[in-house]
Amino acid sequence: MLKEIIGKRIRDLRITKIDMSQEEFCNKLGLDRTYLSRLESGKQNITISKLNQICNGLQTSLKDFFDTFDEIIVESEKELNEWWIL
């Protein structure tokens, strides 16, 4: 679930904040477009250093990246904990 949330956030910022296609953004950062596509679709894990690189390209800090969806993460963790209890 967390991979999907992070991917959606990256995609939303890429489109709304810097208005770039995946290809343009990847060329700017030196990333492979298929890697970004997998990230945005929630199919690829990401390291904190790579996320920091992407956040820099998105003109946002890691703090701002995560601040906007803290509630979603907390809710997801509650659901996961409930699943483990069952």
Side-chain angles (χ1 to χ4, degrees), residues 29 31 35 46-56 62:
L29 296 181
L31 298 174
Y35 172 74
I46 189 169
T47 63
I48 195 70
S49 61
K50 191 61 73 174
L51 181 57
N52 188 53
Q53 178 187 3
I54 288 173
C55 283
N56 288 336
L62 280 170

Side-chain angles (χ1 to χ4, degrees), residues 9-20 24-25 28-29 50-66 68:
R9 179 75 172 134
I10 291 170
R11 181 180 185 279
D12 290 346
L13 287 172
R14 179 179 55 78
I15 292 169
T16 60
K17 190 163 184 176
I18 61 171
D19 189 29
M20 284 188 174
E24 292 169 324
F25 187 63
K28 175 183 173 182
L29 296 181
K50 191 61 73 174
L51 181 57
N52 188 53
Q53 178 187 3
I54 288 173
C55 283
N56 288 336
L58 295 170
Q59 302 168 357
T60 192
S61 68
L62 280 170
K63 180 185 181 314
D64 289 341
F65 183 88
F66 286 109
T68 59

